[in-house]
Amino acid sequence: MRAREIERVIQGLEAAGIPFERDAELARFTTIGLGGPAEVLARPTSTAEIGVVVELARNETVPLRVLGAGSNLLVSDAGVPGIVLHTGALDHVHIDVEAGIVDAGAGCHFPTLVKRTASKGLRGLEGGVGIPGSLGGVLTMNAGAYQFAIGPLVDAVEAVSADKGTVEMRRDEIDFKYRKSSFGTGLIVASARLRLRADAPDAVRADLNAHMHSRKTTQPVGVKSAGCIFKNPDGDSAGRLIDGAGLKGFAVGGARISDVHANFIVHDGSSTTTEVLELIDRVRESVVKATQVELETEVMTWH
Ligand code: EPU
């Protein structure tokens, strides 16, 4: 039954000329470098093609998941059924320096976009330089760092909804909350228009470097991880609580709580998602025992 539905999805992708792979190992597409295969990995190259993928998934009642830079994601070792829509090919960027307007695709690599706008003397994104996601992921997760938030910089977003097709949303129509927004699998970001402010390129670059420096001194940068694992509980820091419970360096198999920042899990290359998930459970239990605070995961898990 499922096999027939997947075959029809494949035929639909072929007919529309949308690039795809079968049984694509998702470890290649997650920053933690773990995870099993996607039954079908579709890589639309335009907003219209996102629409086709969404419609195929709906018509065939096949699960659909959206993958950006895979920086806040754990994929089960067994992989995931159905379609994974990878936004990587939607990576166009157009910068109008005079107007301070940036038009960019959901798949563009956020730190690269930050560096490009800063080098042109556009201020606004520099605080987000260390966020290892895609633009679509940053908007969907409402990713933040230090004082940086994407919401105030958004002019409009073009998104694809399963019910309404392509929609254009202005900033005041978009809900940005702590680590979530109006966007998700039901409303997929295709591209965004950001409004930045002109300043001297050297001044913007200096701030960007300062943000990168603070990140490097407080977080494990340059090693495989999935970013912060738990959301911060109201008025506190998950990292501080995990550290306070004495868990830095605590490991399950090859997965370990980072010694640099306790809300990060790092691994030695031999680990699995199963071990990471077990470590998450063990940390949650220990923190409840030590502090009565139940931590909630920020990282997304695909089974
Ligand atoms: N702390 C410890 N031990 C640790 C980690 C932190 O004692 O192992 C203490 C720090 O010394 C500091 C406090 O906890 O006093 C807060 O730490 P930090 O400034 O590193 O911020 P955070 O609350 O742990 C949040 C975000 C990060 C974001 C940073 C910087 C969440 C879950 N985390 O971390 O976001 O980069 O602020 O703005 O919201 C992410 O979402 O993936 C992420 C990494």
Side-chain angles (χ1 to χ4, degrees), residues 108-218:
C108 72
H109 183 235
F110 194 68
T112 309
L113 183 67
V114 174
K115 286 176 198 151
R116 280 184 65 179
T117 52
S119 71
K120 291 190 183 296
L122 288 177
R123 183 175 280 291
L125 297 180
E126 63 283 358
V129 65
I131 299 175
S134 61
L135 176 60
V138 168
L139 287 160
T140 303
M141 280 296 299
N142 189 21
Y146 307 98
Q147 305 313 313
F148 171 79
I150 191 78
L153 306 170
V154 171
D155 196 29
V157 172
E158 183 186 52
V160 177
S161 137
D163 309 319
K164 298 185 194 143
T166 303
V167 292
E168 165 108 1
M169 296 169 75
R170 291 190 323 272
R171 180 182 42 208
D172 57 4
E173 298 171 296
I174 304 166
D175 209 9
F176 287 107
K177 295 212 174 80
Y178 174 60
R179 297 296 185 263
K180 68 175 177 193
S181 74
S182 311
F183 306 112
T185 311
L187 190 62
I188 300 168
V189 176
S191 66
R193 169 167 288 199
L194 307 175
R195 199 173 281 275
L196 308 180
R197 298 188 307 283
D199 199 349
D202 284 351
V204 186
R205 258 198 305 260
D207 287 349
L208 181 153
N209 289 336
H211 286 298
M212 202 60 225
H213 179 74
S214 358
R215 185 125 182 164
K216 277 186 181 152
T217 49
T218 58

